[in-house]
Amino acid sequence: MRAFEYVPAKTVAEATSLLAEKGDQAKPLAGGTDLIVMVRENRRQLDRMVDIKDLPETNVLSYSPDTGLELGAAVPCHEIYADGAISAAYPGLIDAAKIIGGTAIQGRASVGGNLCNASPAADTIPPLIVLGAICVIAGPDGSTREVPAEQFCTAPGQTVLENGELLVSFKIPPPPKNSSSFYLRFIPRNEMDIAVVGAGASVVLDDAKTSIVSARISLAAVAPTPLFAEEVSDSLAGKEISDESINAAAEAAQAIASPISDMRGTAEQRTHLVGVLTRRALNGAIQRVKEA
Amino acid sequence: MPKKVHVQTTINGEAVEYLCEPRQSLLEVLRDVLHLTGAKEGCNNGNCGACSVILDGRLVNSCLVLGAELEGKSLETIEGLAEPEQLHPIQDAFLENAALQCGICTPGFIMAAKALLDQNPNPTEHEIRYWLAGNLCRCTGYDKIVRAVQDAAQTTS
Ligand SMILES: Cc1cc2nc3c(=O)[nH]c(=O)nc-3n(C[C@H](O)[C@H](O)[C@H](O)COP(=O)(O)OP(=O)(O)OC[C@H]3O[C@@H](n4cnc5c(N)ncnc54)[C@H](O)[C@@H]3O)c2cc1C
Ligand code: FES
Ligand code: FES
């Protein structure tokens, strides 16, 4: 591993200026479960790692039914699913937080790192998208800007972040009445693997819980970036809950997926999985509303 | 070349100071600088759990932590478990149940089991198996390890 400098930042302003000074030769370090491996394997060379996980702003974890969830970018998965109120409000995010690696990985891996690493197969990104998460970004000039989760990743490993910018936190709106969310993935093992395909869904149902008021669907590992199936989602609005409406959405999702073949699966298998997993994610979210 | 970092930390209850290069992992610092060779290097990329240690109460892979990150933290390693005259109950349970053969995975499994029992003194078999999913063993076939953890839970709770 090439030598680099390690600097723990004490404030957001210090972090962004430490990053900006070195341009693309500096990277933030959160849990390190992607970054340390990448640098060790020489897939990324750096002059400086800026540790951003001891800042108050990247560690917030606060939920209220009125204002929603503020989730610091560096909060490890383990802390998120240890919180009962957050688990009840955002079950789709918890589905993903609980399957990233094993226990030791979840003690370090953050949702912010999962998003910024920008893998098309990242498990927390579809839940962030279907829950309407907004990414709060700090810049080196003291500015902040907000980007919706579905616009954050621009290519495999690439994001909207400019040199010197830091993802500080997520703002996730409070769950509407009669709503829930669900995420699942297909892997050939029971745990400790990367998604062949992943699917997340959130739904809002009417009071009778027989039809869909609105829905959001997002897919992992079937396009260069995590995919927000916007038109498919919109087409479910106002539909009665039935095999027919769910199957139609699953087929429409298959039509917009553009998977590749690689060692984890063929394009054909992935397209098939998009249908199965979209159906299960939607039905899973609907079931959770009915059981609540 | 970036200069070495001076780290003051607590390891197994004792104050420890060391110098390390920023690129050295905690696993390298433990083994090569501090000569605590209980944590093992299997994969060096987070997949095998042989390097498991408990950092501020949380199970982590020491190969995915930088030695420089330890400033002001508290670390537990396998070396801190036994009393001078007595093994820790989890260590006893591993011996009693023959839960090891070559032993390279054992320190990692024991630290992972300790982290589990610290927060959940009576885990189900299912909980034990999921908790230990990040620790690989190529000898035992896992059943004996799971039974050892169940036994240790009985004696410690
Ligand atoms: C054994 C193993 C199993 C894994 N299993 C899974 C899995 O099942 N599913 C899955 O999705 N992933 C998995 N991963 C990948 C990884 O654990 C996750 O992507 C994790 O969420 C990354 O978070 P982190 O805090 O460790 O990020 P880091 O490694 O610290 O950072 C990741 C990237 O994001 C950047 N970054 C981090 N924080 C910020 C910030 N606040 N602002 C700007 N940039 C930032 C870093 O510079 C780096 O480029 C696995 C990894 C390992 C080693
Ligand atoms: S050596 Fe750290 S997980 Fe394998
Ligand atoms: S005892 Fe040999 S790897 Fe587990």
Side-chain angles (χ1 to χ4, degrees):
Chain A
M1 201 185 329
R2 195 177 87 181
F4 56 81
E5 187 188 10
Y6 166 83
V7 197
K10 284 172 212 73
T11 63
V12 170
E14 188 190 1
T16 51
S17 68
L18 282 163
L19 290 166
E21 258 171 38
K22 294 277 180 181
D24 68 355
Q25 287 301 300
K27 278 288 221 178
L29 172 71
T33 60
D34 281 315
L35 190 62
I36 294 178
V37 179
M38 244 182 245
V39 171
R40 177 173 298 144
E41 293 175 356
N42 278 321
R43 283 185 281 140
R44 187 75 170 80
Q45 264 129 40
L46 290 181
D47 288 341
R48 176 182 286 172
M49 273 192 206
V50 181
D51 194 335
I52 53 93
K53 66 180 162 295
D54 285 327
L55 311 176
E57 292 87 345
T58 58
N59 275 294
V60 281
L61 185 63
S62 99
Y63 169 68
S64 108
D66 299 326
T67 55
L69 176 64
E70 206 188 335
L71 169 62
V75 176
C77 289
H78 172 98
E79 254 173 64
I80 304 172
Y81 62 71
D83 186 305
I86 294 173
S87 302
Y90 307 100
L93 182 62
I94 302 303
D95 291 334
K98 282 190 167 167
I99 57 175
I100 292 193
T103 316
I105 297 291
Q106 289 160 16
R108 294 263 293 173
S110 63
V111 175
N114 196 230
L115 178 67
C116 292
N117 193 55
S119 158
D123 285 309
T124 68
I125 306 181
L128 288 173
I129 292 174
V130 302
L131 291 169
I134 302 293
C135 310
V136 181
I137 299 167
D141 49 1
S143 65
T144 54
R145 61 184 179 119
E146 297 190 346
V147 175
E150 60 267 30
Q151 289 168 20
F152 194 88
C153 300
T154 53
Q158 303 290 317
T159 70
V160 296
L161 292 181
E162 307 279 346
N163 289 339
E165 280 190 322
L166 180 72
L167 174 65
V168 176
S169 60
F170 299 99
K171 292 199 286 200
I172 306 187
K177 191 179 157 210
N178 299 326
S179 75
S180 197
S181 55
F182 199 95
Y183 175 78
L184 81 170
R185 67 180 181 187
F186 176 80
I187 55 172
R189 307 171 62 196
N190 285 326
E191 68 285 298
M192 293 289 289
D193 211 343
I194 302 297
V196 179
V197 173
S202 66
V203 295
V204 182
L205 305 186
D206 64 345
D207 282 338
K209 301 184 181 175
T210 54
S211 56
I212 296 170
V213 175
S214 64
R216 284 168 77 91
I217 299 165
S218 174
L219 302 167
V222 298
T225 59
L227 195 63
F228 175 36
E230 194 169 7
E231 283 174 26
V232 184
S233 304
D234 290 346
S235 75
L236 277 166
K239 292 269 160 63
E240 208 170 307
I241 299 168
S242 66
D243 287 349
E244 198 191 343
S245 59
I246 302 293
N247 288 339
E251 275 170 37
Q254 286 178 300
I256 59 158
S258 53
I260 54 165
S261 296
D262 65 11
M263 64 173 201
R264 290 185 206 286
T266 61
E268 191 190 358
Q269 183 196 16
R270 284 194 160 102
T271 303
H272 171 73
L273 285 168
V274 169
V276 176
L277 298 187
T278 301
R279 210 160 34 235
R280 289 186 188 168
L282 282 167
N283 283 329
I286 290 167
Q287 197 56 34
R288 281 178 174 162
V289 183
K290 289 185 173 171
E291 281 165 5
Chain B
M1 178 161 147
K3 58 178 190 303
K4 286 197 174 182
V5 188
H6 176 227
V7 177
Q8 286 183 296
T9 189
T10 305
I11 301 182
N12 300 324
E14 282 178 33
V16 174
E17 284 183 54
Y18 56 81
L19 287 173
C20 71
E21 280 186 56
R23 64 176 163 179
Q24 280 181 298
S25 69
L26 173 57
L27 178 61
E28 289 172 280
V29 169
L30 286 174
R31 295 182 57 86
D32 302 342
V33 179
L34 301 173
H35 307 295
L36 294 171
T37 55
K40 304 294 182 226
E41 179 181 318
C43 62
N44 216 13
N45 61 23
N47 275 283
C48 78
C51 65
S52 301
V53 294
I54 300 177
L55 179 58
D56 280 349
R58 201 176 281 160
L59 185 71
V60 300
N61 299 314
S62 59
C63 70
L64 295 187
V65 176
L66 300 177
E69 286 183 64
L70 238 63
E71 179 67 35
K73 303 259 191 301
S74 173
L75 185 73
E76 292 170 65
T77 71
I78 188 76
E79 284 85 356
L81 239 54
E83 302 292 332
E85 298 297 321
Q86 196 171 9
L87 292 179
H88 188 278
I90 303 174
Q91 293 173 312
D92 270 332
F94 269 64
L95 282 177
E96 289 299 319
N97 286 275
L100 63 148
Q101 289 177 32
C102 79
I104 194 145
C105 68
T106 312
F109 268 103
I110 289 177
M111 294 313 288
K114 177 165 192 297
L116 170 62
L117 298 182
D118 282 349
Q119 67 143 45
N120 179 358
N122 273 307
T124 62
E125 177 176 346
H126 186 81
E127 286 169 336
I128 294 172
R129 286 188 185 273
Y130 266 92
W131 185 275
L132 298 178
N135 291 78
L136 301 184
C137 175
R138 281 295 168 258
C139 302
T140 64
Y142 301 102
D143 277 348
K144 292 180 174 184
I145 292 174
V146 173
R147 249 173 277 143
V149 178
Q150 287 172 315
D151 268 11
Q154 297 243 304
T155 43
T156 52
S157 65

